Amino acid sequence: MTRTCVFFHAHPDDEALLTGGTMARLAAEGHRVVLVVATAGERGLSSARGDLGAVRTKEAHASAKALGCARVEFLGYEDSGLDGSTGFARADVAEAAGRLAEILHEENADLLTTYDPTGGYGHPDHVQVHRVGGLAAELAGTPRVWEATVDRTLLLRGLRLARLARKFDMTPFKSAYTPRAEITHTVNVRRYATQKREALAAHATQTTGGDQTRTVSALLSLPKPLFSLVMGTEWYVERKRLRAR
């Protein structure tokens, strides 16, 4: 039986980083995969010039194509940036959830993915995705909600190894994402590493900008076998199951 799975993200490139392998796997297995993005990511770090939101929107479509998505929708909210003083982070939750619920209803979605309560690393737009997504699923009667996250135990282990080469403050990461004990679904996506890598590469604006190496750039610099190992697992938390329709 085929299913319809809606992946809700805050900005272009989030889909490739957190759920790209799962999206590619579901699409390859014949399921309908829909990507919904809250903002165009116009306040993201980048050295690219011009209308960053327009460029990142095109990048999201290219990424979605690589992952096999059947539909891409943007909710049209302003990127809040890290301070969260304006934009999606300040949007009315009920109003935003209503917009997302319309898409869930149109698609008769079987699954919605959001983020964990802390938004992974605390970005205001990511926290809002958690709030809006949970309410939208209730409004639309979507039976399953998975919170995309990262295994904190593995994250900290990897960061400790990274500190051998370059010292940095580990404190913010000690409360990021989700403890292993709370993770309910671990998805092996190594067979879809090529699609995930192609999706990441589509987000060229996110490889430069700021005074430190960007995550997308660092991941794309990995040899393919190592990329498959590092990015070959995706994690989710299913906190509750709604009554089946």
Side-chain angles (χ1 to χ4, degrees):
M1 178 182 294
T2 60
R3 304 288 187 182
T4 297
C5 306
V6 177
F7 289 77
F8 183 37
H9 286 280
H11 317 101
D13 87 340
D14 290 330
E15 83 291 338
L17 286 164
L18 282 171
T19 65
T22 306
M23 296 167 77
R25 176 174 173 172
L26 287 170
E29 292 175 352
H31 302 288
R32 180 173 172 83
V33 176
V34 176
L35 172 62
V36 179
V37 190
T39 82
E42 65 274 15
R43 294 186 64 187
L45 285 175
S46 177
S47 62
R49 298 182 178 180
D51 187 343
L52 183 58
V55 175
R56 294 192 71 184
T57 296
K58 291 180 181 179
E59 290 176 343
H61 281 277
S63 171
K65 182 177 180 180
L67 298 175
C69 295
R71 178 182 178 185
V72 180
E73 293 288 343
F74 280 78
L75 295 187
Y77 288 98
E78 177 189 355
D79 183 355
S80 303
L82 289 173
D83 61 10
S85 60
T86 62
F88 180 57
R90 295 294 180 178
D92 181 86
V93 172
E95 190 272 340
R99 290 195 200 182
L100 178 58
E102 288 182 10
I103 298 172
L104 295 173
H105 182 72
E106 288 171 11
E107 292 288 346
N108 194 28
D110 298 286
L111 170 72
L112 171 69
T113 73
T114 64
Y115 300 146
D116 59 33
T118 63
Y121 61 96
H123 192 295
D125 284 338
H126 286 231
V127 175
Q128 187 77 320
V129 162
H130 171 77
R131 299 190 193 106
V132 169
L135 179 56
E138 292 184 15
L139 293 173
T142 303
R144 303 187 74 174
V145 178
W146 286 14
E147 298 173 0
T149 189
V150 173
D151 181 338
R152 186 188 296 166
T153 301
L154 287 179
L155 175 65
L156 292 175
R157 186 181 300 165
L159 291 173
R160 290 188 187 100
L161 290 174
R163 287 187 81 232
L164 297 176
R166 181 172 62 86
K167 297 298 181 181
F168 56 89
D169 184 11
M170 290 273 293
T171 304
F173 300 100
K174 292 180 180 179
S175 59
Y177 295 102
T178 304
R180 176 173 293 178
E182 295 182 20
I183 292 173
T184 60
H185 295 75
T186 300
V187 183
N188 185 331
V189 298
R190 289 187 185 178
R191 290 181 58 187
Y192 306 93
T194 298
Q195 293 94 318
K196 185 168 182 174
R197 191 183 184 101
E198 185 179 348
L200 276 175
H203 295 286
T205 61
Q206 299 308 290
T207 60
T208 60
D211 56 3
Q212 295 182 343
T213 302
R214 302 297 303 280
T215 300
V216 172
S217 178
L219 291 172
L220 291 175
S221 71
L222 297 175
K224 290 183 179 180
L226 183 56
F227 179 91
S228 178
L229 178 64
V230 171
M231 301 297 284
T233 303
E234 292 174 351
W235 300 271
Y236 301 88
V237 178
E238 184 172 17
R239 298 197 183 275
K240 65 178 180 179
R241 183 190 297 254
L242 300 179
R243 182 177 298 176
R245 291 168 299 192

